[in-house]
Amino acid sequence: MTTALLRTADELHARARAGRRAVVMTMGALHEGHATLIRTAREIAGDGGEVVVTVFVNPLQFGQGEDLDRYPRTLDADLKIAELAGADVVFAPSVDEVYPGGEPQVRISAGPMGGRLEGSVRPGHFDGMLTVVGKLLHLTRPDVALFGQKDAQQLALIRRMARDLNFGVEIAGVPTVREEDGLALSSRNRYLSAEERRTALALSQALFAGRDRHAAQEALRARALEVPATRARAEALSAIGESRAAADAHAVAKAVPGGPAGVRAAARLVLDEAARMRPPLALDYLALVDPSDFTEIPDDFTGEAVLAVAARVGTTRLIDNIPLTFGAAS
């Protein structure tokens, strides 16, 4: 299969359509994470459908002092990666094609969620992101659009936009792809020196530490619930593997399920250590949030949550997150 390179929406609209059209939106500099999105899109579209990959470096998403000028442009390599992953079309419009009248006077507002976490660090970023995603959805006219879960707040806002503004398109999230050492794949990883990369590993390590603490707490709680309240305290303590000073089975059974505070503390410990490395990690935020609105979850929270982190190592800013589920108390 040869992947077509198209520059205008008219060219894309002129293509005969059969089956579902699945779109993967990128800013280029494609890597294995993007390839995974494209392969997933291929599965969703099926043999009779069409996969379109957009490549557009959106100027509205870059604030003052950010890396618009040095953001990598690698269209020839992107085309090859897209083709190998199963794309039918790479749609690489010019800025004039996307914004024919210059910067748009009317833009999509990200609302309150857009001012939290990433939005507080990068004011206006999500307004620019939603504006270009909205335009590209109109220009490509897909049945389904796929986005990586690594940009969890972005994904949540796109889903909210599609629902609130009746876009009539399915928004699908695809799990984060990681390198062998755990670092989440990102186009910005190429900026890291060997020393900076060692420090940057603290982002994923912090998330994994929070996840492991959560799993241990849940296992302890589940074991404690199996211990009858009538058993001798010493026997109960031995059964759940906790010291007498820590808790007894009855206390553990009544504890807040999952322990958000414990998850945050475990992740924070790793990040604090990384702040003392050379080069150091400069933390923007660590947050454990409700994915519906990206507000911090309370200690009695139950349901789906996102543990998210953002930090700078040298001049490179990286983000990462993992999903967690906090169970209901019995």
Side-chain angles (χ1 to χ4, degrees), residues 217-260:
Q217 289 175 156
E218 286 294 294
L220 177 62
R221 177 178 169 273
R223 182 68 187 94
L225 290 172
E226 296 174 2
V227 179
T230 57
R231 291 179 60 176
R233 174 174 291 189
E235 182 180 355
L237 290 170
S238 177
I240 65 174
E242 284 287 288
S243 68
R244 183 177 298 273
D248 63 15
H250 182 69
V252 173
K254 296 296 184 182
V256 174

Side-chain angles (χ1 to χ4, degrees), residues 60 99 102-109 127-128 130-132 135:
L60 300 189
Y99 302 120
E103 286 199 14
Q105 297 299 302
V106 176
R107 304 188 186 194
I108 296 174
S109 169
D127 291 355
L130 290 179
T131 298
V132 78
K135 288 182 72 75

Side-chain angles (χ1 to χ4, degrees), residues 144-175:
V144 56
L146 294 87
F147 299 89
Q149 291 178 357
K150 183 177 78 72
D151 297 294
Q153 192 173 3
Q154 170 180 284
L155 175 59
L157 282 162
I158 292 170
R159 282 177 165 155
R160 188 62 186 251
M161 176 186 72
R163 181 172 67 250
D164 286 357
L165 301 184
N166 302 99
F167 268 73
V169 59
E170 177 187 349
I171 305 298
V174 178

Side-chain angles (χ1 to χ4, degrees), residues 42-266:
R42 180 78 273 161
E43 293 174 4
I44 291 173
D47 293 338
E50 184 179 56
V51 174
V52 176
V53 177
T54 70
V55 174
F56 180 67
V57 181
N58 179 33
L60 300 189
Q61 289 176 236
F62 292 81
Q64 186 175 3
E66 293 189 331
D67 54 358
L68 173 62
D69 291 338
R70 73 167 184 152
Y71 195 88
R73 274 80 166 176
T74 57
L75 184 57
D76 290 342
D78 295 343
L79 190 60
K80 292 177 182 177
I81 291 173
E83 185 168 279
L84 288 172
D88 298 290
V89 173
V90 167
F91 177 52
S94 66
V95 173
D96 288 339
E97 177 72 12
V98 178
Y99 302 120
E103 286 199 14
Q105 297 299 302
V106 176
R107 304 188 186 194
I108 296 174
S109 169
M113 196 196 318
R116 298 173 186 137
L117 298 188
E118 283 298 290
S120 67
V121 178
R122 306 175 67 189
H125 166 73
F126 285 126
D127 291 355
M129 179 276 294
L130 290 179
T131 298
V132 78
V133 168
K135 288 182 72 75
L136 288 172
L137 287 174
H138 290 312
L139 292 171
T140 59
R141 302 174 183 175
D143 299 289
V144 56
L146 294 87
F147 299 89
Q149 291 178 357
K150 183 177 78 72
D151 297 294
Q153 192 173 3
Q154 170 180 284
L155 175 59
L157 282 162
I158 292 170
R159 282 177 165 155
R160 188 62 186 251
M161 176 186 72
R163 181 172 67 250
D164 286 357
L165 301 184
N166 302 99
F167 268 73
V169 59
E170 177 187 349
I171 305 298
V174 178
T176 300
V177 178
R178 299 185 180 277
E179 301 192 38
E180 290 186 3
D181 58 9
L183 190 67
L185 281 172
S186 169
S187 302
R188 291 186 169 94
N189 289 353
R190 67 187 68 193
Y191 301 149
L192 297 169
S193 68
E195 294 78 12
E196 289 171 341
R197 186 183 176 91
R198 283 195 291 273
T199 299
L201 290 176
L203 274 77
S204 57
Q205 290 168 353
L207 298 178
F208 299 157
R211 178 196 62 193
D212 292 347
R213 172 70 65 85
H214 176 55
Q217 289 175 156
E218 286 294 294
L220 177 62
R221 177 178 169 273
R223 182 68 187 94
L225 290 172
E226 296 174 2
V227 179
T230 57
R231 291 179 60 176
R233 174 174 291 189
E235 182 180 355
L237 290 170
S238 177
I240 65 174
E242 284 287 288
S243 68
R244 183 177 298 273
D248 63 15
H250 182 69
V252 173
K254 296 296 184 182
V256 174
V263 171
R264 293 185 181 98

